[in-house]
Amino acid sequence: MKKIVWIVVANRAAARLFQVTQPTGPLEELDAFIHPEGRLQEHDLVSDRPGRAFDSYGAGRHAEDPDTAATEQEATNFAVQLSRFLHKARCERKFDALVLVAAPAFLGALRERLDEPTRERITLEVDKNLVQRKAGEIRGHLPVKLYSAVGG
């Protein structure tokens, strides 16, 4: 039986979706996702200076730190967007197995946003930022036989 393995290669600003239909086959690019806000720096995302508060002791004041940095929130937003896409694709039976290749911090954010049935389809995770690399180079970071992890 022919198995379809999807490979998601991502960072906080972009993602590429590849497919493999043969155990040792090349990557076929299916789609690309761009999240321009993920490229912005903290000061570009937040227009206001942080709030000020009085020190608990003495007459000093200090800036309040936000609970979540704006760049981290944008990465989370993109992870949610990708997880919804993957959830829908899994429900439509578009892939049998999933491989995640992502920048280390984004890999964790993406994994946390995936629903349990989609997470169960993950057969391999590679914590590298390879979004800008060519398909052949990305394939070089994956096992020669991708189906071995799917049992095919």
Side-chain angles (χ1 to χ4, degrees), residues 44-122:
D44 294 324
L45 290 167
V46 180
S47 60
D48 294 338
R49 289 180 27 202
R52 309 281 299 164
F54 288 99
D55 288 338
S56 58
Y57 180 78
R61 290 182 53 161
H62 63 276
E64 291 283 334
D65 287 331
D67 291 338
T68 305
T71 52
E72 190 177 321
Q73 184 59 48
E74 284 304 325
T76 298
N77 293 345
F78 191 42
V80 167
Q81 178 187 346
L82 290 175
S83 68
R84 287 179 181 157
F85 173 83
L86 293 171
H87 169 81
K88 184 175 186 275
R90 180 191 51 78
C91 290
E92 294 172 356
R93 302 181 194 276
K94 291 188 176 182
F95 63 89
D96 300 302
L98 186 61
V99 173
L100 300 180
V101 180
F106 190 73
L107 180 60
L110 180 57
R111 186 187 316 114
E112 288 176 17
R113 292 345 178 256
L114 292 172
D115 62 288
E116 188 61 33
T118 304
R119 202 175 310 137
E120 289 172 0
R121 299 276 176 107
I122 298 172

Side-chain angles (χ1 to χ4, degrees), residues 118-137:
T118 304
R119 202 175 310 137
E120 289 172 0
R121 299 276 176 107
I122 298 172
T123 59
L124 177 66
E125 293 181 353
V126 178
D127 60 350
K128 292 183 185 268
N129 186 359
L130 302 176
V131 170
Q132 301 299 324
R133 306 295 172 95
K134 293 181 181 179
E137 191 175 344

Side-chain angles (χ1 to χ4, degrees), residues 28-48:
E28 171 191 348
E29 189 158 3
L30 299 177
D31 210 344
F33 306 85
I34 305 296
H35 186 70
E37 296 86 352
R39 292 191 173 134
L40 298 176
Q41 298 298 318
E42 186 77 21
H43 64 274
D44 294 324
L45 290 167
V46 180
S47 60
D48 294 338

Side-chain angles (χ1 to χ4, degrees), residues 1-21:
M1 180 180 177
K2 194 177 210 178
K3 295 188 188 318
I4 297 173
V5 178
W6 272 14
I7 298 98
V8 176
V9 182
N11 63 26
R12 68 183 186 156
R16 294 167 65 195
L17 176 64
F18 296 92
Q19 173 177 289
V20 172
T21 56

